[in-house]
Amino acid sequence: MIVFNKVSKIYLPNCKALDNINLTINSKEFVSIAGRSGAGKSTLIRLLIKEEFPTKGNIFWGKQDIGQIRDKDLPIWRRQIGMIFQDFRLLPNKTAYENIAFAMEVSDWTKQEIERDVPQLLKLVNLIDRADHFPSQLSGGEQQRVAIARALAHRPDILVADEPTGNLDLLHTWEIIRLLIKINELGTTVILSTHDRDIINGLDKRVVTIEKGKIIKDDENGKYILF
Amino acid sequence: MFASLIRVTKSGGLSFWRNKWLSVATIIVMSLAIFGITNLLLVNVLIDSLITNLEDKIDISVYFNLDTSEEQILATRDSLIELSQVKSVEYISTGEALKNFKAKHQDNQVLMQSLQELETNPLEAALNIKAQVASQYESIVNFLEKEEYQKVIDKINYQENRTVIARLSSITTTIRQVGFIGLAILAILAILVTFNTIRLTIYSSRKEIKVMKLVGASNWFIRGPFVIEGAIYGIVAVLATLAVLFPLLWYLSPKITTYLPGTDLLYFFQTNFIALLLLQLLVGIVMGTVSSIIAVRRYLDA
């Protein structure tokens, strides 16, 4: 369970990116964070992975206050969250296989475990025949699938997707969304941030709508309400 | 721990190979740096042998009164040898002085005849003194100006040679200093250029470093491959330098020896090869790894 408790983030001098956010996300939930560009979606996510610190308030994961995690332990926290981004953020000098294996290597998985899991992950995202391709040799949708496989490599409890379909065409967009639903059904909490009306309306899951740094709507089976 | 070390090494090697062109460019810069430092070192060796050659040519002679006994002269010699500034003292007895004089002037009839007319040997016994360094003659002469020596010494030819010795000694000190300063400046320059090149190499990987952090890599796991890559740059650069330097010396060394007899750079290079190699490897690896560590640091903080 993730709890945002009265969280505010102010960028100097006086840009209020997030204003007194109270939000609870249960485990194994699929939550969409909706809102226009600049509404504060990405800030919310950056606070969650401790890329930035809240100006006020606390974020809890279970009983752990994320703000209290020491820099030394940050890598261990990050391994419990899988992240995917609009720009994929794959390592350009590593193949699809190596990108996924790298995420496992950093958490000290054994060679045997890596050799067992990476092909499985590649199968899950339907890219087993592209294992030896470098990111530059893959299409946008394929790159994002590699990124998803990498995000799942250390079996995270939470998968955070920050505008994962922003760079993709309609066909690939739904491919990715279906994959996220499948991953959620397998038991991972999924937090999806997007400004795409069609995705949100098609999902029929919980929608948290943010506008100007505030939560203005939080609906089970919600619809996109901004115009 | 051990598994991580292998992974980090492998990753560093792989990255070195996949970034071939960047690696080659960095290695060329590093090779030039190491090549430059090594050459300066060799130039300093040359300067040193040049100075030694020059300094070997100067000495001072101390002439003793004719009535001085050989014991007194030998006693003076012994106390001179004990001085740290003194490199060697050669004793020329009156007899030897005469023999030398005759050998030198055997064609001069007038001199030879006048010498024969003299009943006794007019030439004084002498001590030829060589100092370790040219600037030390002054203090040796001061030592000889003590009361006990003044009684037996007729003259010291230092005063006549003084300006020559002083000039030579100032020239040699200046050359040594300039050589050293030149070496230091160019070494710093080479290190800075290398550092900057490696910094640029890592700058091109700054996004990757961020991604690695996001997937939960610890700082050492990120830094490691770059450090290994830096070390590989250093090692390859040293090998490249040697591959150029050795044929170059082989070709140039005999030519230098014709100008400066007694100086054989190739021989110096061969006898000190292990020491030079270790020094170069040390410089190369330290430059590569330390530059990498410093350059990666600023992207790790983010």
Side-chain angles (χ1 to χ4, degrees), chain A residues 179-211:
Chain A
L179 197 54
L180 291 180
I181 294 170
K182 185 169 152 195
I183 289 160
N184 177 241
E185 281 165 359
L186 291 170
T188 307
T189 312
V190 175
I191 302 173
L192 166 69
S193 119
T194 182
H195 64 272
D196 188 322
R197 177 200 313 254
D198 295 330
I199 293 175
I200 287 168
N201 291 345
L203 267 173
D204 203 28
K205 302 257 184 196
R206 180 178 171 196
V207 178
V208 175
T209 309
I210 297 183
E211 174 80 351

PDB file of all heavy atoms in Angstrom, chain A residues 179-211:
ATOM      1  N   LEU A 179      -0.554  -5.166 -22.213  1.00  0.00           N
ATOM      2  CA  LEU A 179       0.536  -5.801 -21.465  1.00  0.00           C
ATOM      3  C   LEU A 179       0.499  -5.369 -19.995  1.00  0.00           C
ATOM      4  O   LEU A 179       0.674  -6.180 -19.076  1.00  0.00           O
ATOM      5  CB  LEU A 179       1.867  -5.407 -22.113  1.00  0.00           C
ATOM      6  CG  LEU A 179       3.104  -6.226 -21.785  1.00  0.00           C
ATOM      7  CD1 LEU A 179       2.867  -7.699 -22.055  1.00  0.00           C
ATOM      8  CD2 LEU A 179       4.276  -5.724 -22.627  1.00  0.00           C
ATOM      9  N   LEU A 180       0.221  -4.072 -19.778  1.00  0.00           N
ATOM     10  CA  LEU A 180       0.161  -3.566 -18.401  1.00  0.00           C
ATOM     11  C   LEU A 180      -0.992  -4.224 -17.637  1.00  0.00           C
ATOM     12  O   LEU A 180      -0.852  -4.581 -16.459  1.00  0.00           O
ATOM     13  CB  LEU A 180      -0.008  -2.036 -18.398  1.00  0.00           C
ATOM     14  CG  LEU A 180       1.196  -1.222 -18.879  1.00  0.00           C
ATOM     15  CD1 LEU A 180       0.881   0.261 -18.829  1.00  0.00           C
ATOM     16  CD2 LEU A 180       2.435  -1.522 -18.051  1.00  0.00           C
ATOM     17  N   ILE A 181      -2.123  -4.409 -18.323  1.00  0.00           N
ATOM     18  CA  ILE A 181      -3.267  -5.058 -17.671  1.00  0.00           C
ATOM     19  C   ILE A 181      -2.904  -6.496 -17.289  1.00  0.00           C
ATOM     20  O   ILE A 181      -3.182  -6.952 -16.182  1.00  0.00           O
ATOM     21  CB  ILE A 181      -4.503  -5.039 -18.608  1.00  0.00           C
ATOM     22  CG1 ILE A 181      -4.961  -3.582 -18.818  1.00  0.00           C
ATOM     23  CG2 ILE A 181      -5.636  -5.874 -18.026  1.00  0.00           C
ATOM     24  CD1 ILE A 181      -6.000  -3.419 -19.901  1.00  0.00           C
ATOM     25  N   LYS A 182      -2.219  -7.162 -18.203  1.00  0.00           N
ATOM     26  CA  LYS A 182      -1.816  -8.543 -17.958  1.00  0.00           C
ATOM     27  C   LYS A 182      -0.885  -8.614 -16.746  1.00  0.00           C
ATOM     28  O   LYS A 182      -1.041  -9.484 -15.883  1.00  0.00           O
ATOM     29  CB  LYS A 182      -1.097  -9.061 -19.211  1.00  0.00           C
ATOM     30  CG  LYS A 182      -0.707 -10.513 -19.184  1.00  0.00           C
ATOM     31  CD  LYS A 182      -0.258 -10.931 -20.583  1.00  0.00           C
ATOM     32  CE  LYS A 182       0.732 -12.066 -20.589  1.00  0.00           C
ATOM     33  NZ  LYS A 182       1.386 -12.188 -21.911  1.00  0.00           N
ATOM     34  N   ILE A 183       0.036  -7.674 -16.684  1.00  0.00           N
ATOM     35  CA  ILE A 183       0.988  -7.646 -15.576  1.00  0.00           C
ATOM     36  C   ILE A 183       0.261  -7.399 -14.253  1.00  0.00           C
ATOM     37  O   ILE A 183       0.543  -8.020 -13.238  1.00  0.00           O
ATOM     38  CB  ILE A 183       2.058  -6.553 -15.814  1.00  0.00           C
ATOM     39  CG1 ILE A 183       2.985  -7.003 -16.944  1.00  0.00           C
ATOM     40  CG2 ILE A 183       2.866  -6.269 -14.555  1.00  0.00           C
ATOM     41  CD1 ILE A 183       3.740  -5.862 -17.595  1.00  0.00           C
ATOM     42  N   ASN A 184      -0.757  -6.510 -14.299  1.00  0.00           N
ATOM     43  CA  ASN A 184      -1.555  -6.231 -13.110  1.00  0.00           C
ATOM     44  C   ASN A 184      -2.318  -7.482 -12.672  1.00  0.00           C
ATOM     45  O   ASN A 184      -2.400  -7.796 -11.482  1.00  0.00           O
ATOM     46  CB  ASN A 184      -2.514  -5.077 -13.408  1.00  0.00           C
ATOM     47  CG  ASN A 184      -3.435  -4.785 -12.243  1.00  0.00           C
ATOM     48  OD1 ASN A 184      -4.642  -4.890 -12.350  1.00  0.00           O
ATOM     49  ND2 ASN A 184      -2.840  -4.420 -11.110  1.00  0.00           N
ATOM     50  N   GLU A 185      -2.827  -8.217 -13.652  1.00  0.00           N
ATOM     51  CA  GLU A 185      -3.575  -9.435 -13.327  1.00  0.00           C
ATOM     52  C   GLU A 185      -2.672 -10.483 -12.701  1.00  0.00           C
ATOM     53  O   GLU A 185      -3.107 -11.325 -11.926  1.00  0.00           O
ATOM     54  CB  GLU A 185      -4.248  -9.983 -14.585  1.00  0.00           C
ATOM     55  CG  GLU A 185      -5.528  -9.215 -14.920  1.00  0.00           C
ATOM     56  CD  GLU A 185      -6.010  -9.476 -16.338  1.00  0.00           C
ATOM     57  OE1 GLU A 185      -5.335 -10.249 -17.067  1.00  0.00           O
ATOM     58  OE2 GLU A 185      -7.051  -8.891 -16.722  1.00  0.00           O
ATOM     59  N   LEU A 186      -1.357 -10.411 -13.049  1.00  0.00           N
ATOM     60  CA  LEU A 186      -0.403 -11.364 -12.467  1.00  0.00           C
ATOM     61  C   LEU A 186      -0.014 -10.962 -11.038  1.00  0.00           C
ATOM     62  O   LEU A 186       0.759 -11.634 -10.394  1.00  0.00           O
ATOM     63  CB  LEU A 186       0.848 -11.469 -13.335  1.00  0.00           C
ATOM     64  CG  LEU A 186       0.660 -12.139 -14.702  1.00  0.00           C
ATOM     65  CD1 LEU A 186       1.907 -11.977 -15.563  1.00  0.00           C
ATOM     66  CD2 LEU A 186       0.315 -13.617 -14.531  1.00  0.00           C
ATOM     67  N   GLY A 187      -0.514  -9.794 -10.556  1.00  0.00           N
ATOM     68  CA  GLY A 187      -0.341  -9.464  -9.148  1.00  0.00           C
ATOM     69  C   GLY A 187       0.539  -8.269  -8.849  1.00  0.00           C
ATOM     70  O   GLY A 187       0.984  -8.085  -7.717  1.00  0.00           O
ATOM     71  N   THR A 188       0.839  -7.438  -9.834  1.00  0.00           N
ATOM     72  CA  THR A 188       1.685  -6.273  -9.592  1.00  0.00           C
ATOM     73  C   THR A 188       0.830  -5.009  -9.567  1.00  0.00           C
ATOM     74  O   THR A 188      -0.068  -4.862 -10.399  1.00  0.00           O
ATOM     75  CB  THR A 188       2.728  -6.143 -10.721  1.00  0.00           C
ATOM     76  OG1 THR A 188       3.420  -7.375 -10.846  1.00  0.00           O
ATOM     77  CG2 THR A 188       3.733  -5.030 -10.424  1.00  0.00           C
ATOM     78  N   THR A 189       1.093  -4.132  -8.598  1.00  0.00           N
ATOM     79  CA  THR A 189       0.425  -2.834  -8.587  1.00  0.00           C
ATOM     80  C   THR A 189       0.897  -2.036  -9.797  1.00  0.00           C
ATOM     81  O   THR A 189       2.100  -1.960 -10.029  1.00  0.00           O
ATOM     82  CB  THR A 189       0.802  -2.058  -7.311  1.00  0.00           C
ATOM     83  OG1 THR A 189       0.648  -2.912  -6.197  1.00  0.00           O
ATOM     84  CG2 THR A 189      -0.049  -0.815  -7.146  1.00  0.00           C
ATOM     85  N   VAL A 190      -0.036  -1.456 -10.549  1.00  0.00           N
ATOM     86  CA  VAL A 190       0.377  -0.662 -11.706  1.00  0.00           C
ATOM     87  C   VAL A 190      -0.110   0.776 -11.529  1.00  0.00           C
ATOM     88  O   VAL A 190      -1.282   1.009 -11.232  1.00  0.00           O
ATOM     89  CB  VAL A 190      -0.179  -1.245 -13.027  1.00  0.00           C
ATOM     90  CG1 VAL A 190       0.158  -0.317 -14.199  1.00  0.00           C
ATOM     91  CG2 VAL A 190       0.400  -2.633 -13.278  1.00  0.00           C
ATOM     92  N   ILE A 191       0.805   1.717 -11.624  1.00  0.00           N
ATOM     93  CA  ILE A 191       0.441   3.135 -11.605  1.00  0.00           C
ATOM     94  C   ILE A 191       0.756   3.690 -12.986  1.00  0.00           C
ATOM     95  O   ILE A 191       1.910   3.693 -13.411  1.00  0.00           O
ATOM     96  CB  ILE A 191       1.233   3.895 -10.530  1.00  0.00           C
ATOM     97  CG1 ILE A 191       0.979   3.266  -9.164  1.00  0.00           C
ATOM     98  CG2 ILE A 191       0.856   5.374 -10.533  1.00  0.00           C
ATOM     99  CD1 ILE A 191       1.841   3.831  -8.061  1.00  0.00           C
ATOM    100  N   LEU A 192      -0.283   4.123 -13.691  1.00  0.00           N
ATOM    101  CA  LEU A 192      -0.105   4.581 -15.064  1.00  0.00           C
ATOM    102  C   LEU A 192      -0.432   6.065 -15.137  1.00  0.00           C
ATOM    103  O   LEU A 192      -1.538   6.478 -14.815  1.00  0.00           O
ATOM    104  CB  LEU A 192      -1.052   3.787 -15.980  1.00  0.00           C
ATOM    105  CG  LEU A 192      -1.266   4.331 -17.397  1.00  0.00           C
ATOM    106  CD1 LEU A 192      -0.006   4.190 -18.229  1.00  0.00           C
ATOM    107  CD2 LEU A 192      -2.426   3.592 -18.072  1.00  0.00           C
ATOM    108  N   SER A 193       0.549   6.843 -15.530  1.00  0.00           N
ATOM    109  CA  SER A 193       0.259   8.265 -15.692  1.00  0.00           C
ATOM    110  C   SER A 193       0.090   8.558 -17.182  1.00  0.00           C
ATOM    111  O   SER A 193       0.904   8.116 -17.993  1.00  0.00           O
ATOM    112  CB  SER A 193       1.388   9.091 -15.075  1.00  0.00           C
ATOM    113  OG  SER A 193       2.009   9.894 -16.044  1.00  0.00           O
ATOM    114  N   THR A 194      -0.958   9.226 -17.534  1.00  0.00           N
ATOM    115  CA  THR A 194      -1.209   9.495 -18.958  1.00  0.00           C
ATOM    116  C   THR A 194      -2.130  10.701 -19.139  1.00  0.00           C
ATOM    117  O   THR A 194      -2.871  11.068 -18.239  1.00  0.00           O
ATOM    118  CB  THR A 194      -1.834   8.263 -19.653  1.00  0.00           C
ATOM    119  OG1 THR A 194      -2.008   8.543 -21.029  1.00  0.00           O
ATOM    120  CG2 THR A 194      -3.175   7.911 -19.038  1.00  0.00           C
ATOM    121  N   HIS A 195      -2.054  11.304 -20.317  1.00  0.00           N
ATOM    122  CA  HIS A 195      -3.021  12.357 -20.626  1.00  0.00           C
ATOM    123  C   HIS A 195      -3.895  11.932 -21.798  1.00  0.00           C
ATOM    124  O   HIS A 195      -4.604  12.725 -22.392  1.00  0.00           O
ATOM    125  CB  HIS A 195      -2.308  13.681 -20.917  1.00  0.00           C
ATOM    126  CG  HIS A 195      -1.445  13.620 -22.147  1.00  0.00           C
ATOM    127  ND1 HIS A 195      -0.136  13.213 -22.087  1.00  0.00           N
ATOM    128  CD2 HIS A 195      -1.719  13.882 -23.436  1.00  0.00           C
ATOM    129  CE1 HIS A 195       0.371  13.243 -23.305  1.00  0.00           C
ATOM    130  NE2 HIS A 195      -0.572  13.641 -24.154  1.00  0.00           N
ATOM    131  N   ASP A 196      -3.830  10.630 -22.116  1.00  0.00           N
ATOM    132  CA  ASP A 196      -4.537  10.119 -23.294  1.00  0.00           C
ATOM    133  C   ASP A 196      -5.975   9.709 -22.918  1.00  0.00           C
ATOM    134  O   ASP A 196      -6.188   8.733 -22.209  1.00  0.00           O
ATOM    135  CB  ASP A 196      -3.738   8.927 -23.848  1.00  0.00           C
ATOM    136  CG  ASP A 196      -4.283   8.456 -25.186  1.00  0.00           C
ATOM    137  OD1 ASP A 196      -5.524   8.457 -25.352  1.00  0.00           O
ATOM    138  OD2 ASP A 196      -3.462   8.090 -26.053  1.00  0.00           O
ATOM    139  N   ARG A 197      -6.925  10.464 -23.408  1.00  0.00           N
ATOM    140  CA  ARG A 197      -8.331  10.246 -23.063  1.00  0.00           C
ATOM    141  C   ARG A 197      -8.801   8.828 -23.433  1.00  0.00           C
ATOM    142  O   ARG A 197      -9.456   8.154 -22.645  1.00  0.00           O
ATOM    143  CB  ARG A 197      -9.192  11.271 -23.818  1.00  0.00           C
ATOM    144  CG  ARG A 197     -10.681  11.124 -23.602  1.00  0.00           C
ATOM    145  CD  ARG A 197     -11.397  11.841 -24.742  1.00  0.00           C
ATOM    146  NE  ARG A 197     -10.804  13.152 -24.932  1.00  0.00           N
ATOM    147  CZ  ARG A 197     -11.396  14.290 -24.548  1.00  0.00           C
ATOM    148  NH1 ARG A 197     -12.558  14.264 -23.982  1.00  0.00           N
ATOM    149  NH2 ARG A 197     -10.810  15.430 -24.765  1.00  0.00           N
ATOM    150  N   ASP A 198      -8.397   8.363 -24.653  1.00  0.00           N
ATOM    151  CA  ASP A 198      -8.886   7.062 -25.116  1.00  0.00           C
ATOM    152  C   ASP A 198      -8.420   5.920 -24.223  1.00  0.00           C
ATOM    153  O   ASP A 198      -9.163   4.981 -23.963  1.00  0.00           O
ATOM    154  CB  ASP A 198      -8.424   6.815 -26.550  1.00  0.00           C
ATOM    155  CG  ASP A 198      -9.058   7.809 -27.511  1.00  0.00           C
ATOM    156  OD1 ASP A 198     -10.196   8.232 -27.210  1.00  0.00           O
ATOM    157  OD2 ASP A 198      -8.422   8.170 -28.514  1.00  0.00           O
ATOM    158  N   ILE A 199      -7.202   6.013 -23.762  1.00  0.00           N
ATOM    159  CA  ILE A 199      -6.692   4.945 -22.895  1.00  0.00           C
ATOM    160  C   ILE A 199      -7.531   4.885 -21.626  1.00  0.00           C
ATOM    161  O   ILE A 199      -8.020   3.823 -21.224  1.00  0.00           O
ATOM    162  CB  ILE A 199      -5.217   5.203 -22.515  1.00  0.00           C
ATOM    163  CG1 ILE A 199      -4.321   5.086 -23.751  1.00  0.00           C
ATOM    164  CG2 ILE A 199      -4.755   4.222 -21.446  1.00  0.00           C
ATOM    165  CD1 ILE A 199      -2.876   5.446 -23.482  1.00  0.00           C
ATOM    166  N   ILE A 200      -7.721   6.056 -20.996  1.00  0.00           N
ATOM    167  CA  ILE A 200      -8.430   6.084 -19.722  1.00  0.00           C
ATOM    168  C   ILE A 200      -9.878   5.622 -19.878  1.00  0.00           C
ATOM    169  O   ILE A 200     -10.383   4.805 -19.109  1.00  0.00           O
ATOM    170  CB  ILE A 200      -8.335   7.495 -19.114  1.00  0.00           C
ATOM    171  CG1 ILE A 200      -6.913   7.679 -18.598  1.00  0.00           C
ATOM    172  CG2 ILE A 200      -9.339   7.678 -17.986  1.00  0.00           C
ATOM    173  CD1 ILE A 200      -6.561   9.076 -18.240  1.00  0.00           C
ATOM    174  N   ASN A 201     -10.511   6.088 -20.925  1.00  0.00           N
ATOM    175  CA  ASN A 201     -11.905   5.679 -21.142  1.00  0.00           C
ATOM    176  C   ASN A 201     -12.021   4.196 -21.483  1.00  0.00           C
ATOM    177  O   ASN A 201     -13.004   3.559 -21.165  1.00  0.00           O
ATOM    178  CB  ASN A 201     -12.527   6.515 -22.252  1.00  0.00           C
ATOM    179  CG  ASN A 201     -12.719   7.960 -21.801  1.00  0.00           C
ATOM    180  OD1 ASN A 201     -12.653   8.254 -20.601  1.00  0.00           O
ATOM    181  ND2 ASN A 201     -12.941   8.845 -22.754  1.00  0.00           N
ATOM    182  N   GLY A 202     -10.989   3.657 -22.124  1.00  0.00           N
ATOM    183  CA  GLY A 202     -11.039   2.255 -22.508  1.00  0.00           C
ATOM    184  C   GLY A 202     -10.661   1.306 -21.380  1.00  0.00           C
ATOM    185  O   GLY A 202     -10.921   0.112 -21.446  1.00  0.00           O
ATOM    186  N   LEU A 203     -10.022   1.813 -20.333  1.00  0.00           N
ATOM    187  CA  LEU A 203      -9.495   0.933 -19.294  1.00  0.00           C
ATOM    188  C   LEU A 203     -10.561   0.456 -18.313  1.00  0.00           C
ATOM    189  O   LEU A 203     -10.543  -0.679 -17.856  1.00  0.00           O
ATOM    190  CB  LEU A 203      -8.406   1.670 -18.500  1.00  0.00           C
ATOM    191  CG  LEU A 203      -6.970   1.472 -18.967  1.00  0.00           C
ATOM    192  CD1 LEU A 203      -6.048   2.391 -18.202  1.00  0.00           C
ATOM    193  CD2 LEU A 203      -6.544   0.033 -18.811  1.00  0.00           C
ATOM    194  N   ASP A 204     -11.451   1.365 -17.934  1.00  0.00           N
ATOM    195  CA  ASP A 204     -12.470   1.065 -16.942  1.00  0.00           C
ATOM    196  C   ASP A 204     -11.850   0.652 -15.597  1.00  0.00           C
ATOM    197  O   ASP A 204     -12.211  -0.365 -15.008  1.00  0.00           O
ATOM    198  CB  ASP A 204     -13.400  -0.040 -17.464  1.00  0.00           C
ATOM    199  CG  ASP A 204     -14.745   0.005 -16.768  1.00  0.00           C
ATOM    200  OD1 ASP A 204     -15.140   1.118 -16.337  1.00  0.00           O
ATOM    201  OD2 ASP A 204     -15.366  -1.057 -16.623  1.00  0.00           O
ATOM    202  N   LYS A 205     -10.871   1.444 -15.158  1.00  0.00           N
ATOM    203  CA  LYS A 205     -10.228   1.192 -13.856  1.00  0.00           C
ATOM    204  C   LYS A 205     -10.240   2.486 -13.062  1.00  0.00           C
ATOM    205  O   LYS A 205     -10.746   3.512 -13.523  1.00  0.00           O
ATOM    206  CB  LYS A 205      -8.772   0.750 -14.071  1.00  0.00           C
ATOM    207  CG  LYS A 205      -8.607  -0.483 -14.925  1.00  0.00           C
ATOM    208  CD  LYS A 205      -8.316  -1.683 -14.081  1.00  0.00           C
ATOM    209  CE  LYS A 205      -8.062  -2.896 -14.971  1.00  0.00           C
ATOM    210  NZ  LYS A 205      -8.143  -4.142 -14.231  1.00  0.00           N
ATOM    211  N   ARG A 206      -9.623   2.463 -11.881  1.00  0.00           N
ATOM    212  CA  ARG A 206      -9.623   3.653 -11.034  1.00  0.00           C
ATOM    213  C   ARG A 206      -8.840   4.794 -11.717  1.00  0.00           C
ATOM    214  O   ARG A 206      -7.757   4.572 -12.245  1.00  0.00           O
ATOM    215  CB  ARG A 206      -8.962   3.321  -9.693  1.00  0.00           C
ATOM    216  CG  ARG A 206      -8.908   4.515  -8.739  1.00  0.00           C
ATOM    217  CD  ARG A 206      -8.276   4.091  -7.428  1.00  0.00           C
ATOM    218  NE  ARG A 206      -8.016   5.268  -6.587  1.00  0.00           N
ATOM    219  CZ  ARG A 206      -7.211   5.242  -5.550  1.00  0.00           C
ATOM    220  NH1 ARG A 206      -6.570   4.117  -5.222  1.00  0.00           N
ATOM    221  NH2 ARG A 206      -7.025   6.318  -4.819  1.00  0.00           N
ATOM    222  N   VAL A 207      -9.390   5.987 -11.698  1.00  0.00           N
ATOM    223  CA  VAL A 207      -8.738   7.144 -12.305  1.00  0.00           C
ATOM    224  C   VAL A 207      -8.606   8.266 -11.276  1.00  0.00           C
ATOM    225  O   VAL A 207      -9.588   8.659 -10.653  1.00  0.00           O
ATOM    226  CB  VAL A 207      -9.524   7.676 -13.518  1.00  0.00           C
ATOM    227  CG1 VAL A 207      -8.842   8.915 -14.088  1.00  0.00           C
ATOM    228  CG2 VAL A 207      -9.656   6.602 -14.580  1.00  0.00           C
ATOM    229  N   VAL A 208      -7.377   8.732 -11.086  1.00  0.00           N
ATOM    230  CA  VAL A 208      -7.148   9.893 -10.223  1.00  0.00           C
ATOM    231  C   VAL A 208      -6.801  11.050 -11.147  1.00  0.00           C
ATOM    232  O   VAL A 208      -5.847  10.971 -11.906  1.00  0.00           O
ATOM    233  CB  VAL A 208      -5.991   9.633  -9.243  1.00  0.00           C
ATOM    234  CG1 VAL A 208      -5.690  10.895  -8.432  1.00  0.00           C
ATOM    235  CG2 VAL A 208      -6.308   8.466  -8.333  1.00  0.00           C
ATOM    236  N   THR A 209      -7.599  12.109 -11.110  1.00  0.00           N
ATOM    237  CA  THR A 209      -7.360  13.225 -12.018  1.00  0.00           C
ATOM    238  C   THR A 209      -6.691  14.375 -11.260  1.00  0.00           C
ATOM    239  O   THR A 209      -7.156  14.777 -10.189  1.00  0.00           O
ATOM    240  CB  THR A 209      -8.679  13.711 -12.632  1.00  0.00           C
ATOM    241  OG1 THR A 209      -9.364  12.571 -13.161  1.00  0.00           O
ATOM    242  CG2 THR A 209      -8.414  14.722 -13.737  1.00  0.00           C
ATOM    243  N   ILE A 210      -5.594  14.845 -11.829  1.00  0.00           N
ATOM    244  CA  ILE A 210      -4.847  15.934 -11.202  1.00  0.00           C
ATOM    245  C   ILE A 210      -4.937  17.166 -12.084  1.00  0.00           C
ATOM    246  O   ILE A 210      -4.829  17.077 -13.316  1.00  0.00           O
ATOM    247  CB  ILE A 210      -3.364  15.552 -11.000  1.00  0.00           C
ATOM    248  CG1 ILE A 210      -3.258  14.367 -10.054  1.00  0.00           C
ATOM    249  CG2 ILE A 210      -2.579  16.725 -10.424  1.00  0.00           C
ATOM    250  CD1 ILE A 210      -1.840  13.968  -9.747  1.00  0.00           C
ATOM    251  N   GLU A 211      -5.145  18.304 -11.458  1.00  0.00           N
ATOM    252  CA  GLU A 211      -5.174  19.575 -12.191  1.00  0.00           C
ATOM    253  C   GLU A 211      -4.471  20.618 -11.341  1.00  0.00           C
ATOM    254  O   GLU A 211      -4.788  20.808 -10.171  1.00  0.00           O
ATOM    255  CB  GLU A 211      -6.643  19.948 -12.462  1.00  0.00           C
ATOM    256  CG  GLU A 211      -6.864  21.303 -13.093  1.00  0.00           C
ATOM    257  CD  GLU A 211      -6.627  21.302 -14.599  1.00  0.00           C
ATOM    258  OE1 GLU A 211      -6.133  20.293 -15.119  1.00  0.00           O
ATOM    259  OE2 GLU A 211      -6.922  22.316 -15.244  1.00  0.00           O
TER     260      GLU A 211
END
